[in-house]
Every structure is written in structure tokens, then in C-alpha cells.
Amino acid sequence: MVSTVVRVAVLLAYLPTPLTAFGVSPLITSTTTTTQRLSLSHRMAKEEEKSSGFTQEIMDEASEALTSVGWSAPSDDAEMTSDDPFVQSIDASIQRDMGVSLDELLNPAKVVNLERDLYNLRSELAILTGMTDDLDVAGLTTDECDAGGGGEEAADIRGSISKKEASLVIERRSVFRGWLKNVFLGQAVLSFALSYVMATNPESLFGSFGWFHSYNMDVSIKVLGFWWWWLFVVPSLRSRRPKGFEKKALDIAFLGTPLISILAPVATKDTGLIWGANLAVVVASYAFAYATDGDDDDDDDDSKQPEWLKFLYKSLGGRCGEL
């Protein structure tokens, strides 16, 4: 009954026609309702402002704490580079413990991410267990950041830390060995020979298979042959992590070969000729990089590359700016 009366009162408040016949003053009802709405909106605005200020205060304190140790978490559109103090401290630690630099590990980017996660988790654990809020956890072990207690939330953080620490131990020991570089080199040589046959005479490889003639795969395999440069040959060479002019040459080739493979068919349908054009681009890239070697002191530093170039590498699946 009460619910029905409330609904009727709300309806009457918004009816535009006179309500004197029902013994209700529309002006009084409408004014009362408007006042209540304004009061409620004012209270909600004050609560939202208070909550927003509290959240912003926490974020500012966290950002200030990270900045005080010379590091802040990378944003979505930025990446940590080898110049970052946090990365440099990781590199120094690995050189001291393992005898190799960070970029000699099999997966340096994963090591940096794990170290960053551990830093954040240890900071949270220190706060939850009653350590001082401004504790610098950089260089500290988990035990040194844990005062005990903290409830279920602290226990969950300890579990996450244990898993990440175990993974970090494995990653720090995974060094990019010389034999693995030779495997990638062999893969590049094999891909080079295979792609030439695919682009010029695929029947010699697949002619004995019935599907080759049944589905007219001749043209498709020829096209795949000249695309092989960008798909396998150049990536295999880049996977060796070369430095100096060769790194610059392969970066150029990685951008140049897909352009040739896309544009060349407009001028010619000869897949063998297009394969040769890709070869010419790679050779020219090496020649240009060798001729200009030493002009820039930061050829090996991906962080100094233009943003548009980094975007291209990411879009094409290139390995750029990991550190």
C-alpha cells in the first residue's frame, strides 16, 4: 500500500495538468521533489569528490615513492629502455651474479618485467605487514620487506612473490648461447635456398603430391617463396641478435622486404624476379649500413629510434625497444 502511494505521488509531481481537483497542489509537490533531488545530488557530489581526492592522494604517494628510488613503472605507450636506472641496476646485478650482461640472456624483457613485479609486490607487502611506508625495497630480499602478519591479502602476495622469484631464477640462468645463434644462422641459410626454389620452380619440390596439381598451388607457392624473405630469412638473421652495422642492416631489410613484396607485383608477375628484388634490398641494406657505420654513436640503442619507427617494428612484429 505504501509503495503504491509513493508511485502515485511521484507521478503527480511530473504531471503538467492542474491537480486541484484531486486536492493536490502541483507547485508544492514539484518544488519539494526538486529540492530533494538537488540535496541528493549535492551529497553524492561531495562523496565522489572525497573519494576521488583520497584515491589521487594514494596514487601520488606511490608515484613519489617509485620516483625516489630512480624508477617509475612504464605507461602503456612507453617502454623501459637500457638507460632506465631500474634496468641498469638489474644489468649490474646479473653481471655480478652470472657474469653476463642483461642483453645476453635468452629473454631479457621477461627478466625486467619479473623484477618490476617483484618490486611492486614487495612494496605492497612491506606496507601490509606494518613496515614503514617509505621503505626502499630496491635491493632487499622478500624477508627483509616482510614484518609478518598482514592477513589473507599479505599471504596471497607472498604466494605471488614465491612464484615470480622461482621464475626469475630460471630466466636469469637462461643465457643466449653461441650454439643457438648458429641454429638461427642455419635456419636462415636453409630458408634462403628453399624460398628460391619455391619462387622459381615449386614443382620440383611438390610436383609429386596430388594436391599440388589438383588445387593449382603453383602460383600460391611461388608467391609464398618471395614472401619467405620477410617471414623467415630476415627474422632468422635478426634472431641472432647482431650488433653494429649488421643490426642496422637487418632492421632496414625487415622494413624494406615487405614493401618490395607488396609493390613489385604491380610492375611484374615474375615471382623469380620479385625474389631477386628482395635479395637486392637485403644486400643494399648491408651495404648502406656498412657505409654509414660509425656515423651514429647510438646505432645499438633502440630507445633513441624515432617513435614512428618503433611503431612500425611493433606493427610488423619486429623486436624493437625491449630494453
Side-chain angles (χ1 to χ4, degrees), residues 5-321:
V5 172
V6 171
R7 292 195 187 99
V8 171
V10 172
L11 179 62
L12 292 176
Y14 286 97
L15 285 176
T17 55
L19 301 177
T20 52
F22 296 95
V24 178
S25 172
L27 178 61
I28 295 175
T29 304
S30 177
T31 303
T32 303
T33 304
T34 302
T35 303
Q36 291 174 344
R37 289 203 304 270
L38 290 173
S39 177
L40 179 60
S41 299
H42 180 67
R43 288 200 302 270
M44 290 178 65
K46 290 182 66 178
E47 290 294 332
E48 183 177 352
E49 181 180 355
K50 181 180 179 180
S51 175
S52 175
F54 179 70
T55 303
Q56 185 61 41
E57 182 180 352
I58 294 176
M59 294 297 292
D60 291 342
E61 289 180 358
S63 177
E64 184 177 340
L66 291 172
T67 304
S68 67
V69 297
W71 172 79
S72 59
S75 60
D76 293 338
D77 57 350
E79 296 181 352
M80 296 202 309
T81 69
S82 57
D83 292 331
D84 194 292
F86 186 73
V87 176
Q88 290 179 347
S89 67
I90 297 173
D91 185 33
S93 173
I94 292 174
Q95 290 189 35
R96 181 180 63 251
D97 298 338
M98 311 302 299
V100 297
S101 61
L102 177 61
D103 60 1
E104 292 182 79
L105 298 182
L106 192 62
N107 196 345
K110 186 175 182 180
V111 171
V112 173
N113 289 334
L114 286 170
E115 291 280 10
R116 178 198 59 192
D117 292 343
L118 285 171
Y119 181 94
N120 293 334
L121 289 171
R122 286 167 181 161
S123 297
E124 293 181 34
L125 183 62
I127 295 174
L128 286 174
T129 57
M131 305 285 284
T132 55
D133 293 344
D134 57 350
L135 176 66
D136 180 4
V137 301
L140 300 181
T141 65
T142 302
D143 291 338
E144 293 172 329
C145 304
D146 188 356
E152 184 178 349
E153 186 176 356
D156 292 339
I157 291 178
R158 292 188 187 100
S160 298
I161 290 177
S162 297
K163 292 179 181 179
K164 290 183 180 295
E165 285 179 337
S167 179
L168 181 60
V169 170
I170 296 174
E171 293 297 334
R172 284 170 66 99
R173 294 176 178 174
S174 302
V175 180
F176 194 72
R177 305 293 182 183
W179 65 265
L180 187 56
K181 296 181 180 181
N182 293 333
V183 170
F184 286 127
L185 180 60
Q187 178 178 299
V189 173
L190 182 62
S191 298
F192 174 86
L194 180 62
S195 65
Y196 176 75
V197 178
M198 290 172 61
T200 56
N201 187 22
E203 188 173 1
S204 62
L205 293 174
F206 308 105
S208 59
F209 297 98
W211 53 263
F212 180 78
H213 299 286
S214 299
Y215 297 101
N216 297 319
M217 297 297 294
D218 183 72
V219 175
S220 299
I221 294 178
K222 284 184 175 180
V223 171
L224 183 60
F226 65 74
W227 271 102
W228 216 256
W229 277 100
W230 182 67
L231 293 173
F232 292 102
V233 179
V234 174
S236 295
L237 293 173
R238 296 179 83 237
S239 295
R240 295 163 44 248
R241 299 184 185 176
K243 297 183 180 296
F245 84 92
E246 185 179 6
K247 178 183 182 299
K248 182 178 181 180
L250 292 172
D251 286 347
I252 297 172
F254 187 73
L255 296 177
T257 50
L259 290 177
I260 290 296
S261 297
I262 292 173
L263 300 177
V266 177
T268 179
K269 305 302 180 185
D270 187 340
T271 54
L273 189 59
I274 299 175
W275 184 93
N278 277 279
L279 172 60
V281 167
V282 174
V283 172
S285 299
Y286 270 89
F288 174 78
Y290 182 79
T292 58
D293 185 35
D295 289 353
D296 299 319
D297 295 333
D298 57 349
D299 284 344
D300 291 334
D301 192 352
D302 290 333
S303 65
K304 305 289 183 63
Q305 292 177 341
E307 291 299 324
W308 65 267
L309 188 57
K310 292 182 181 180
F311 174 77
L312 281 178
Y313 279 124
K314 290 181 182 179
S315 302
L316 295 174
R319 179 178 169 274
C320 175

